[in-house]
Amino acid sequence: MTDAPLRFGLIGTGRIGQVHAANIAASPDTVLTWVADPMVDGAHAVAGRFGGRVTDAADELFAAADVDAVLIASPTPTHVDLIAQAVERGIPVLCEKPIDLDIARVDALRPKVAAAGVPVALGFNRRFDPAFAEVQARVVAGEIGALEQLTIISRDPAAPPAAYIGVSGGIFRDMTIHDFDMARFFLPDIVEVTAVGTTTFDDGAREHGDFDTAVVTLRAASGAVVTIINSRHSAVGYDQRLEAFGAKGSLQVANRSMSLVSLSTAERVDARAPFEDFFLQRYADAYAAELGAFVALVRGGASTSPTFEDGRAALVLADAAQRSATERVSVAVRTD
Protein backbone atom coordinates (compact mmCIF):
# COMPACT_ATOMS: atom_id res chain seq x y z
CA MET A 1 0.00 0.00 0.00
CA THR A 2 1.40 3.38 -1.06
CA ASP A 3 0.86 6.76 0.54
CA ALA A 4 -1.45 7.75 -2.32
CA PRO A 5 -5.01 8.57 -1.26
CA LEU A 6 -7.08 5.46 -0.58
CA ARG A 7 -9.71 5.07 -3.31
CA PHE A 8 -13.16 4.51 -1.82
CA GLY A 9 -16.34 3.03 -3.15
CA LEU A 10 -19.40 4.19 -1.20
CA ILE A 11 -22.52 2.03 -1.09
CA GLY A 12 -25.60 3.87 0.13
CA THR A 13 -26.31 7.57 -0.15
CA GLY A 14 -28.81 8.23 2.60
CA ARG A 15 -28.18 10.57 5.50
CA ILE A 16 -25.22 8.68 6.92
CA GLY A 17 -23.82 7.89 3.48
CA GLN A 18 -23.67 11.61 2.76
CA VAL A 19 -21.74 12.18 6.00
CA HIS A 20 -19.18 9.58 4.97
CA ALA A 21 -18.95 10.97 1.44
CA ALA A 22 -18.17 14.43 2.79
CA ASN A 23 -15.47 13.06 5.10
CA ILE A 24 -13.87 11.00 2.33
CA ALA A 25 -13.78 14.06 0.09
CA ALA A 26 -12.37 16.27 2.85
CA SER A 27 -9.50 13.98 3.89
CA PRO A 28 -6.13 14.21 2.10
CA ASP A 29 -5.76 10.45 2.65
CA THR A 30 -8.90 9.40 0.76
CA VAL A 31 -10.75 9.99 -2.48
CA LEU A 32 -14.23 8.96 -3.55
CA THR A 33 -14.04 7.05 -6.83
CA TRP A 34 -17.39 5.20 -6.95
CA VAL A 35 -20.87 5.78 -5.54
CA ALA A 36 -23.46 3.00 -5.66
CA ASP A 37 -27.13 3.11 -4.77
CA PRO A 38 -30.19 1.43 -6.34
CA MET A 39 -31.82 4.85 -5.90
CA VAL A 40 -29.51 6.20 -8.53
CA ASP A 41 -30.65 9.81 -8.24
CA GLY A 42 -29.18 9.86 -4.74
CA ALA A 43 -25.92 8.46 -6.06
CA HIS A 44 -25.76 11.15 -8.74
CA ALA A 45 -26.41 13.85 -6.14
CA VAL A 46 -23.60 12.61 -3.88
CA ALA A 47 -21.15 12.15 -6.77
CA GLY A 48 -22.00 15.63 -8.02
CA ARG A 49 -20.91 17.09 -4.69
CA PHE A 50 -18.03 14.83 -3.74
CA GLY A 51 -16.82 13.08 -6.91
CA GLY A 52 -16.83 9.52 -8.14
CA ARG A 53 -18.51 7.50 -10.84
CA VAL A 54 -22.09 6.38 -10.34
CA THR A 55 -23.76 3.00 -10.51
CA ASP A 56 -27.02 1.51 -9.34
CA ALA A 57 -25.37 -1.89 -8.81
CA ALA A 58 -22.85 -2.72 -6.08
CA ASP A 59 -21.45 -5.49 -8.30
CA GLU A 60 -20.07 -2.89 -10.71
CA LEU A 61 -18.37 -1.06 -7.86
CA PHE A 62 -16.77 -4.26 -6.52
CA ALA A 63 -15.46 -5.12 -10.00
CA ALA A 64 -13.86 -1.70 -10.55
CA ALA A 65 -10.08 -1.47 -10.72
CA ASP A 66 -9.95 1.84 -8.86
CA VAL A 67 -11.49 0.78 -5.52
CA ASP A 68 -9.08 0.15 -2.62
CA ALA A 69 -11.74 0.06 0.10
CA VAL A 70 -15.51 0.04 0.45
CA LEU A 71 -17.69 1.97 2.86
CA ILE A 72 -21.10 0.37 3.37
CA ALA A 73 -23.82 2.80 4.41
CA SER A 74 -26.77 0.96 2.89
CA PRO A 75 -29.77 -0.46 4.81
CA THR A 76 -28.95 -3.05 7.47
CA PRO A 77 -30.44 -6.07 5.62
CA THR A 78 -27.84 -5.60 2.86
CA HIS A 79 -24.77 -5.55 5.12
CA VAL A 80 -24.01 -9.28 5.35
CA ASP A 81 -24.09 -9.86 1.59
CA LEU A 82 -22.04 -6.75 0.85
CA ILE A 83 -19.38 -7.58 3.46
CA ALA A 84 -19.17 -11.09 2.01
CA GLN A 85 -18.63 -9.71 -1.51
CA ALA A 86 -15.96 -7.34 -0.27
CA VAL A 87 -13.89 -9.94 1.57
CA GLU A 88 -14.24 -12.42 -1.30
CA ARG A 89 -12.56 -9.82 -3.49
CA GLY A 90 -9.98 -8.89 -0.87
CA ILE A 91 -11.37 -5.38 -0.46
CA PRO A 92 -11.21 -3.83 3.03
CA VAL A 93 -14.57 -2.65 4.28
CA LEU A 94 -15.91 -0.16 6.80
CA CYS A 95 -19.56 -1.00 7.46
CA GLU A 96 -22.15 0.94 9.38
CA LYS A 97 -23.62 -0.78 12.43
CA PRO A 98 -25.16 -3.26 12.96
CA ILE A 99 -23.74 -6.12 10.90
CA ASP A 100 -27.27 -7.56 10.84
CA LEU A 101 -30.29 -7.82 13.11
CA ASP A 102 -30.04 -11.63 13.16
CA ILE A 103 -27.09 -13.12 15.06
CA ALA A 104 -27.42 -16.35 13.03
CA ARG A 105 -26.59 -14.46 9.83
CA VAL A 106 -23.67 -12.75 11.53
CA ASP A 107 -22.33 -16.08 12.78
CA ALA A 108 -22.70 -17.61 9.31
CA LEU A 109 -20.52 -14.81 7.89
CA ARG A 110 -18.01 -14.91 10.74
CA PRO A 111 -15.73 -17.74 9.46
CA LYS A 112 -15.57 -16.19 5.98
CA VAL A 113 -14.40 -12.87 7.41
CA ALA A 114 -11.87 -14.59 9.66
CA ALA A 115 -10.47 -16.76 6.84
CA ALA A 116 -10.22 -13.87 4.37
CA GLY A 117 -7.87 -11.86 6.57
CA VAL A 118 -9.27 -8.67 5.03
CA PRO A 119 -9.74 -5.65 7.31
CA VAL A 120 -13.40 -5.33 8.29
CA ALA A 121 -14.32 -2.44 10.59
CA LEU A 122 -17.68 -1.52 12.11
CA GLY A 123 -19.03 2.00 12.33
CA PHE A 124 -19.15 2.45 16.09
CA ASN A 125 -18.07 6.04 15.70
CA ARG A 126 -18.52 7.03 19.35
CA ARG A 127 -15.23 5.35 20.25
CA PHE A 128 -13.64 8.18 18.28
CA ASP A 129 -15.38 11.05 20.04
CA PRO A 130 -12.43 13.04 21.42
CA ALA A 131 -13.86 13.31 24.93
CA PHE A 132 -14.93 9.67 25.24
CA ALA A 133 -11.60 8.50 23.81
CA GLU A 134 -9.71 10.70 26.28
CA VAL A 135 -11.60 9.24 29.24
CA GLN A 136 -10.97 5.68 28.05
CA ALA A 137 -7.25 6.37 27.63
CA ARG A 138 -7.02 7.91 31.10
CA VAL A 139 -8.85 4.95 32.62
CA VAL A 140 -6.43 2.56 30.90
CA ALA A 141 -3.54 4.66 32.25
CA GLY A 142 -4.81 4.05 35.79
CA GLU A 143 -5.63 7.65 36.63
CA ILE A 144 -8.76 6.75 38.62
CA GLY A 145 -7.65 3.27 39.67
CA ALA A 146 -9.43 0.12 38.57
CA LEU A 147 -12.73 0.95 36.86
CA GLU A 148 -15.62 0.08 39.20
CA GLN A 149 -18.61 1.80 37.61
CA LEU A 150 -19.31 3.17 34.15
CA THR A 151 -22.46 5.20 33.51
CA ILE A 152 -23.58 5.97 29.97
CA ILE A 153 -26.53 8.29 29.33
CA SER A 154 -27.89 8.44 25.79
CA ARG A 155 -31.20 10.11 25.00
CA ASP A 156 -32.39 11.10 21.53
CA PRO A 157 -34.14 14.44 21.01
CA ALA A 158 -37.28 12.76 19.63
CA ALA A 159 -38.56 9.33 18.73
CA PRO A 160 -38.14 8.16 15.12
CA PRO A 161 -41.12 7.55 12.83
CA ALA A 162 -43.19 4.48 13.62
CA ALA A 163 -42.34 2.97 10.24
CA TYR A 164 -38.65 3.11 11.09
CA ILE A 165 -39.16 1.47 14.47
CA GLY A 166 -40.90 -1.40 12.69
CA VAL A 167 -37.76 -2.30 10.73
CA SER A 168 -35.07 -1.11 13.18
CA GLY A 169 -34.81 -4.27 15.28
CA GLY A 170 -35.93 -2.40 18.38
CA ILE A 171 -34.29 0.03 20.76
CA PHE A 172 -31.55 -2.34 21.94
CA ARG A 173 -30.33 -3.33 18.45
CA ASP A 174 -30.82 0.12 16.95
CA MET A 175 -29.99 2.66 19.65
CA THR A 176 -28.43 0.97 22.68
CA ILE A 177 -26.05 -1.00 20.45
CA HIS A 178 -23.80 2.08 20.36
CA ASP A 179 -23.75 2.09 24.15
CA PHE A 180 -23.02 -1.64 24.28
CA ASP A 181 -19.95 -1.01 22.14
CA MET A 182 -18.94 1.92 24.33
CA ALA A 183 -19.26 -0.32 27.39
CA ARG A 184 -16.97 -2.89 25.75
CA PHE A 185 -14.54 -0.12 24.79
CA PHE A 186 -13.93 0.26 28.52
CA LEU A 187 -14.75 -3.28 29.72
CA PRO A 188 -14.48 -5.90 26.96
CA ASP A 189 -15.40 -8.88 29.14
CA ILE A 190 -19.11 -8.44 29.81
CA VAL A 191 -20.61 -11.58 31.40
CA GLU A 192 -24.17 -10.63 32.39
CA VAL A 193 -26.94 -8.39 31.07
CA THR A 194 -30.01 -7.15 32.94
CA ALA A 195 -32.41 -4.80 31.17
CA VAL A 196 -35.68 -3.06 31.91
CA GLY A 197 -37.73 -1.50 29.12
CA THR A 198 -40.98 0.44 29.20
CA THR A 199 -43.19 2.25 26.73
CA THR A 200 -44.27 5.48 28.34
CA PHE A 201 -44.81 8.05 25.59
CA ASP A 202 -44.22 6.82 22.02
CA ASP A 203 -47.16 5.39 20.08
CA GLY A 204 -44.79 4.10 17.40
CA ALA A 205 -42.89 1.99 19.90
CA ARG A 206 -46.18 0.77 21.34
CA GLU A 207 -47.47 -0.14 17.88
CA HIS A 208 -44.43 -2.30 17.14
CA GLY A 209 -43.98 -3.83 20.58
CA ASP A 210 -40.82 -1.86 21.27
CA PHE A 211 -39.62 0.21 24.22
CA ASP A 212 -39.07 3.96 24.27
CA THR A 213 -37.31 3.98 27.65
CA ALA A 214 -34.65 1.54 28.84
CA VAL A 215 -32.09 0.98 31.56
CA VAL A 216 -29.48 -1.75 31.16
CA THR A 217 -27.00 -3.05 33.71
CA LEU A 218 -23.95 -4.94 32.50
CA ARG A 219 -21.64 -6.88 34.78
CA ALA A 220 -18.03 -7.33 33.69
CA ALA A 221 -15.81 -10.28 34.58
CA SER A 222 -13.86 -7.95 36.89
CA GLY A 223 -17.01 -7.17 38.88
CA ALA A 224 -17.27 -3.67 37.43
CA VAL A 225 -20.80 -2.54 36.61
CA VAL A 226 -22.01 -0.55 33.60
CA THR A 227 -25.31 1.33 33.71
CA ILE A 228 -26.82 2.45 30.39
CA ILE A 229 -29.74 4.89 30.47
CA ASN A 230 -31.71 5.41 27.24
CA SER A 231 -34.73 7.37 26.17
CA ARG A 232 -36.19 8.06 22.76
CA HIS A 233 -36.91 11.69 23.69
CA SER A 234 -35.21 14.53 25.54
CA ALA A 235 -36.64 18.01 25.93
CA VAL A 236 -33.15 19.43 26.51
CA GLY A 237 -31.69 18.15 23.22
CA TYR A 238 -29.34 15.29 22.36
CA ASP A 239 -28.28 14.03 25.79
CA GLN A 240 -24.89 12.27 25.64
CA ARG A 241 -22.99 11.90 28.92
CA LEU A 242 -20.54 9.47 30.45
CA GLU A 243 -18.92 8.91 33.84
CA ALA A 244 -16.12 6.50 34.72
CA PHE A 245 -15.70 5.90 38.46
CA GLY A 246 -12.86 4.21 40.35
CA ALA A 247 -11.32 4.13 43.81
CA LYS A 248 -9.05 7.10 43.05
CA GLY A 249 -11.60 9.36 41.41
CA SER A 250 -13.94 9.82 38.49
CA LEU A 251 -13.91 11.19 34.96
CA GLN A 252 -16.97 12.77 33.39
CA VAL A 253 -18.01 13.86 29.91
CA ALA A 254 -20.75 16.51 29.89
CA ASN A 255 -23.14 17.38 27.10
CA ARG A 256 -21.95 19.69 24.37
CA SER A 257 -23.83 22.95 24.02
CA MET A 258 -24.43 24.84 20.78
CA SER A 259 -22.48 27.75 22.26
CA LEU A 260 -19.75 28.21 24.87
CA VAL A 261 -21.30 31.51 25.96
CA SER A 262 -23.36 31.69 29.16
CA LEU A 263 -25.58 34.48 30.48
CA SER A 264 -25.93 35.56 34.12
CA THR A 265 -28.52 38.13 35.18
CA ALA A 266 -30.69 38.94 38.19
CA GLU A 267 -33.16 36.29 36.99
CA ARG A 268 -30.78 33.44 36.06
CA VAL A 269 -27.16 32.37 36.45
CA ASP A 270 -25.01 30.59 33.85
CA ALA A 271 -27.87 30.30 31.34
CA ARG A 272 -26.54 28.46 28.31
CA ALA A 273 -27.60 27.58 24.79
CA PRO A 274 -29.32 24.22 24.21
CA PHE A 275 -27.35 21.04 23.74
CA GLU A 276 -26.43 20.12 20.20
CA ASP A 277 -29.50 18.86 18.42
CA PHE A 278 -28.60 15.46 16.99
CA PHE A 279 -25.90 12.91 16.32
CA LEU A 280 -24.72 14.49 13.06
CA GLN A 281 -23.65 17.59 14.98
CA ARG A 282 -22.57 15.92 18.22
CA TYR A 283 -20.40 13.28 16.58
CA ALA A 284 -19.08 15.14 13.52
CA ASP A 285 -15.50 14.95 14.81
CA ALA A 286 -15.94 11.27 15.67
CA TYR A 287 -16.99 10.33 12.12
CA ALA A 288 -13.92 12.03 10.66
CA ALA A 289 -11.62 10.31 13.17
CA GLU A 290 -13.30 6.97 12.47
CA LEU A 291 -12.36 7.30 8.80
CA GLY A 292 -8.76 8.13 9.69
CA ALA A 293 -8.48 5.06 11.93
CA PHE A 294 -9.84 2.86 9.16
CA VAL A 295 -7.30 4.23 6.68
CA ALA A 296 -4.56 3.36 9.18
CA LEU A 297 -6.01 -0.14 9.54
CA VAL A 298 -6.02 -0.70 5.77
CA ARG A 299 -2.43 0.51 5.51
CA GLY A 300 -1.29 -1.87 8.24
CA GLY A 301 -0.67 0.78 10.86
CA ALA A 302 -1.84 1.05 14.46
CA SER A 303 -5.60 1.45 14.55
CA THR A 304 -8.42 1.46 17.07
CA SER A 305 -11.10 0.61 14.52
CA PRO A 306 -13.84 -1.63 15.97
CA THR A 307 -13.66 -5.01 14.26
CA PHE A 308 -16.21 -7.49 12.93
CA GLU A 309 -15.87 -9.26 16.27
CA ASP A 310 -16.74 -6.03 18.09
CA GLY A 311 -19.84 -5.71 15.92
CA ARG A 312 -20.86 -9.27 16.70
CA ALA A 313 -20.28 -8.78 20.44
CA ALA A 314 -22.48 -5.67 20.53
CA LEU A 315 -25.30 -7.61 18.85
CA VAL A 316 -24.92 -10.45 21.38
CA LEU A 317 -25.43 -7.90 24.16
CA ALA A 318 -28.40 -6.33 22.36
CA ASP A 319 -30.07 -9.71 21.96
CA ALA A 320 -29.46 -10.48 25.64
CA ALA A 321 -30.95 -7.12 26.65
CA GLN A 322 -34.03 -7.77 24.54
CA ARG A 323 -34.52 -11.15 26.21
CA SER A 324 -33.86 -9.72 29.66
CA ALA A 325 -36.37 -6.88 29.27
CA THR A 326 -39.02 -9.15 27.73
CA GLU A 327 -38.66 -12.10 30.10
CA ARG A 328 -37.59 -10.07 33.16
CA VAL A 329 -34.50 -12.18 33.79
CA SER A 330 -30.75 -11.57 33.94
CA VAL A 331 -28.93 -13.18 31.02
CA ALA A 332 -25.44 -14.64 31.18
CA VAL A 333 -23.41 -13.90 28.05
CA ARG A 334 -20.18 -14.68 26.28
CA THR A 335 -19.02 -12.30 23.57
CA ASP A 336 -15.97 -14.26 22.37
Side-chain angles (χ1 to χ4, degrees):
M1 188 69 65
T2 69
D3 290 333
L6 207 63
R7 299 171 296 180
F8 267 85
L10 172 68
I11 304 175
T13 58
R15 180 173 58 185
I16 198 62
Q18 293 172 45
V19 170
H20 288 303
N23 285 331
I24 292 168
S27 170
D29 297 318
T30 57
V31 62
L32 190 60
T33 54
W34 279 87
V35 182
D37 197 316
M39 307 296 289
V40 75
D41 287 347
H44 278 294
V46 166
R49 293 174 62 195
F50 304 113
R53 285 183 280 180
V54 170
T55 179
D56 62 0
D59 289 349
E60 186 176 2
L61 182 153
F62 282 120
D66 55 347
V67 171
D68 301 315
V70 171
L71 201 155
I72 299 173
S74 52
T76 297
T78 68
H79 290 178
V80 164
D81 290 341
L82 292 172
I83 292 171
Q85 288 185 64
V87 299
E88 285 169 1
R89 294 177 177 270
I91 301 174
V93 55
L94 170 58
C95 181
E96 271 300 326
K97 65 81 190 171
I99 301 170
D100 196 78
L101 298 177
D102 183 352
I103 193 65
R105 295 194 74 213
V106 175
D107 284 343
L109 178 61
R110 191 182 190 190
K112 177 175 284 190
V113 170
V118 177
V120 176
L122 265 291
F124 289 116
N125 65 293
R126 295 183 192 181
R127 291 192 184 209
F128 300 99
D129 174 74
F132 292 164
E134 178 183 342
V135 170
Q136 193 266 354
R138 291 170 70 172
V139 168
V140 170
E143 187 170 344
I144 61 170
L147 184 60
E148 298 173 4
Q149 295 176 330
L150 180 70
T151 303
I152 302 168
I153 297 174
S154 179
R155 300 184 178 110
D156 282 349
Y164 174 80
I165 292 175
V167 299
S168 70
I171 192 171
F172 296 119
R173 298 183 187 93
D174 171 53
M175 180 179 176
T176 322
I177 197 164
H178 274 294
D179 305 311
F180 290 137
D181 182 70
M182 182 57 59
R184 293 191 65 257
F185 188 37
F186 284 83
L187 295 162
D189 296 325
I190 303 297
V191 297
E192 186 179 68
V193 179
T194 307
V196 175
T198 62
T199 309
T200 60
F201 59 85
D202 182 35
D203 290 338
R206 190 172 292 110
E207 175 187 346
H208 292 285
D210 194 17
F211 307 114
D212 56 36
T213 303
V215 176
V216 183
T217 302
L218 309 175
R219 182 169 59 86
S222 66
V225 175
V226 183
T227 304
I228 298 170
I229 300 171
N230 287 156
S231 176
R232 287 288 200 183
H233 72 176
S234 171
V236 300
Y238 194 37
D239 190 6
Q240 300 286 290
R241 288 174 282 159
L242 181 145
E243 181 192 66
F245 174 85
K248 294 164 61 176
S250 64
L251 294 159
Q252 301 91 27
V253 178
N255 276 309
R256 280 191 0 190
S257 175
M258 292 183 182
S259 172
L260 296 177
V261 177
S262 64
L263 169 69
S264 295
T265 68
E267 289 79 29
R268 60 183 62 87
V269 175
D270 284 340
R272 297 180 181 275
F275 300 140
E276 290 184 324
D277 186 54
F278 205 33
F279 74 95
L280 295 179
Q281 293 79 35
R282 172 63 181 81
Y283 291 114
D285 293 341
Y287 280 110
E290 174 186 64
L291 178 66
F294 178 66
V295 171
L297 178 68
V298 173
R299 289 178 168 164
S303 175
T304 55
S305 288
T307 65
F308 183 92
E309 291 298 311
D310 290 318
R312 178 187 178 276
L315 185 59
V316 168
L317 297 181
D319 285 351
Q322 183 68 40
R323 179 187 164 198
S324 176
T326 302
E327 300 179 12
R328 300 186 179 182
V329 296
S330 295
V331 179
V333 294
R334 289 187 59 178
T335 58
D336 55 8

